[in-house]
């Protein structure tokens, strides 16, 4: 289904007379990522970024960005998105027709005859007793429900601690906004470039677009996209842990000295550098506070 989805995107682009180069110039997305979308390869970056790029691609060639992303999600699940969307459309129209029919149907008034009631004191007492018994049952049921909830909360927070890594995704709109703000960093002035003698100066640059997550001194994570031929400088006291999403073109300097870093295009790398300049590759990404 993903091949069919990519083919329809490509046909629409060609029908609109728009080239990959023109899309790259307008969206400022790297040409190689747009070519991957055109060829049906959607594994070049994490899915969050892929959906953002597809939305931009679709908007430029005259398609609805949100609907195109929805088609991508359905196609990724192996379903025919045309059938799914058509079924959703029919269900919405059917619900609309039912609602319209209910609103136009005249209301029927039924004339009722007052019913004479007979008061039976013994029956009333029996009903009152049944009502009190029902209230008691409901009270016990509520207490039991509260106990179950308390046990479940204790289990989740005390007995079921997990080492699973949770990655908080940034909304697509923020990624698109960040993607449109490519710029050249201004050179640091002499006063800005002075770094305390006991601090580490960490500089990362890349020849390709890559996603970067850095944790200085086990503190809060700093996440950003590094565009080609740009660099980013940070400081730390003792160590720096990092994860890079497209490590092939990445180069690193510590205190203005090159670090022997080995990456691979489209491959994710996790590593840590201490104040002695020792580089350690990790199997899993570091967490803040560890």
């Amino acid at each position: 289904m993903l091949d069919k989805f990519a083919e329809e995107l490509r046909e629409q682009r060609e029908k609109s007379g728009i080239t990959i180069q023109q899309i790259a110039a307008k969206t400022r997305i790297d040409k190689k990522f747009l070519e991957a979308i055109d060829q049906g390869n959607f594994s070049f970056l994490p899915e969050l970024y892929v959906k953002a790029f597809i939305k931009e691609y679709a908007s430029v060639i005259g398609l609805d960005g949100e609907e195109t992303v929805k088609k991508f999600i359905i196609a990724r699940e192996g379903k025919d998105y045309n059938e799914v969307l058509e079924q959703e459309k029919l269900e919405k129209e059917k619900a609309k027709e039912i609602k319209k029919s209910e609103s136009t149907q005249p209301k029927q008034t039924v004339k009722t005859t007052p019913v004479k009631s007979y008061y039976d004191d013994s029956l009333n007492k029996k009903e009152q007793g049944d009502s009190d018994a029902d209230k008691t049952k409901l009270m016990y049921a509520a207490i039991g429900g509260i106990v179950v909830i308390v046990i479940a909360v204790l289990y989740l927070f005390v007995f079921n601690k997990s080492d699973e890594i949770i990655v908080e995704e940034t909304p697509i709109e923020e990624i698109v906004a960040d993607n449109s703000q490519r710029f050249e960093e201004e050179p640091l002035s002499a006063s800005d470039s002075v770094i305390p003698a006991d601090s580490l100066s960490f500089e990362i640059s890349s020849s390709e677009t890559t996603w970067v997550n850095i944790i200085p001194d086990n503190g809060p994570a700093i996440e950003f996209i590094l565009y080609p031929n740009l660099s980013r400088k940070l400081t730390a006291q003792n160590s720096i842990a990092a994860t890079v999403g497209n490590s092939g073109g990445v180069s690193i300097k510590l205190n203005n000295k090159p670090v022997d870093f080995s990456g691979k295009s489209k491959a994710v790398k996790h590593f840590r550098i201490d104040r002695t300049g020792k580089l350690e590759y990790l199997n899993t990404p570091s967490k803040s506070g560890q």
Side-chain angles (χ1 to χ4, degrees):
M1 287 300 171
L2 286 175
D3 291 339
K4 177 184 176 182
F5 173 76
E7 183 179 353
E8 289 187 2
L9 282 182
R10 185 170 59 255
E11 289 177 353
Q12 177 63 27
R13 177 183 62 77
E14 293 172 350
K15 181 180 178 181
S16 302
I18 299 174
T19 65
I20 292 293
Q21 187 63 43
Q22 289 173 326
I23 299 177
K26 188 167 184 179
T27 62
R28 296 184 178 180
I29 299 174
D30 277 3
K31 183 179 176 181
K32 63 182 179 182
F33 294 146
L34 297 172
E35 289 176 342
I37 292 174
D38 216 47
Q39 296 166 6
N41 176 17
F42 300 98
S43 59
F44 53 87
L45 278 178
E47 184 179 315
L48 182 66
Y49 299 95
V50 173
K51 289 190 287 188
F53 291 168
I54 289 174
K55 183 177 180 181
E56 288 286 278
Y57 183 111
S59 298
V60 173
I61 63 176
L63 297 176
D64 183 281
E66 295 290 348
E67 183 177 342
T68 304
V69 171
K70 188 174 182 180
K71 287 183 177 181
F72 166 71
I73 295 172
I74 297 172
R76 182 196 57 195
E77 296 174 354
K79 300 177 182 178
D80 188 329
Y81 47 82
N82 290 326
E83 291 183 1
V84 173
L85 294 177
E86 183 64 25
Q87 183 64 29
E88 289 182 357
K89 182 179 178 182
L90 291 175
E91 290 177 356
K92 288 180 180 179
E93 290 178 353
K94 185 177 179 181
K96 187 176 179 181
E97 288 295 329
I98 293 174
K99 186 175 181 181
K100 183 179 179 181
S101 175
E102 290 176 350
S103 63
T104 57
Q105 186 175 0
K107 294 182 179 179
Q108 296 181 355
T109 56
V110 179
K111 186 176 180 181
T112 59
T113 304
V115 178
K116 185 176 180 181
S117 62
Y118 298 89
Y119 180 78
D120 189 336
D121 186 61
S122 62
L123 179 60
N124 182 62
K125 289 181 179 180
K126 182 177 182 301
E127 291 178 351
Q128 184 175 356
D130 292 341
S131 177
D132 291 341
D134 290 341
K135 289 180 180 179
T136 303
K137 291 179 181 179
L138 286 175
M139 182 180 69
Y140 285 131
I143 294 173
I146 293 172
V147 171
V148 171
I149 292 173
V150 172
I151 293 173
V153 170
L154 289 174
Y155 176 78
L156 288 174
F157 286 93
V158 178
F159 302 104
N160 194 32
K161 291 185 178 180
S162 174
D163 294 331
E164 181 182 358
I165 301 171
I166 300 176
V167 179
E168 182 178 354
E169 292 190 346
T170 307
I172 289 179
E173 289 74 13
E174 293 183 15
I175 297 172
V176 174
D178 178 70
N179 184 63
S180 65
Q181 294 174 353
R182 301 183 65 179
F183 61 91
E184 294 184 2
E185 296 183 351
E186 296 180 358
L188 296 173
S189 63
S191 60
D192 292 334
S193 62
V194 176
I195 299 172
D198 59 345
S199 297
L200 299 177
S201 172
F202 177 83
E203 180 178 357
I204 182 170
S205 58
S206 178
S207 60
E208 301 177 1
T209 300
T210 183
W211 169 80
V212 183
N213 183 289
I214 295 178
I215 304 176
D217 295 321
N218 299 324
I222 302 171
E223 182 179 334
F224 55 91
I225 294 179
L226 190 62
Y227 293 102
N229 303 320
L230 294 181
S231 63
R232 184 80 175 263
K233 287 186 177 181
L234 301 98
T235 58
Q237 292 295 325
N238 296 307
S239 66
I240 289 179
T243 296
V244 291
N246 184 20
S247 58
V250 171
S251 59
I252 299 170
K253 288 183 180 179
L254 188 69
N255 294 335
N256 295 323
K257 294 181 180 179
V259 176
D260 186 13
F261 175 81
S262 175
K264 186 178 180 182
S265 180
K266 299 182 182 180
V268 177
K269 283 281 186 179
H270 315 290
F271 62 90
R272 181 187 298 273
I273 302 178
D274 61 20
R275 64 181 305 106
T276 66
K278 180 183 177 183
L279 174 66
E280 178 186 3
Y281 294 103
L282 308 173
N283 293 325
T284 58
S286 297
K287 300 179 184 178
S288 297
Q290 292 187 349

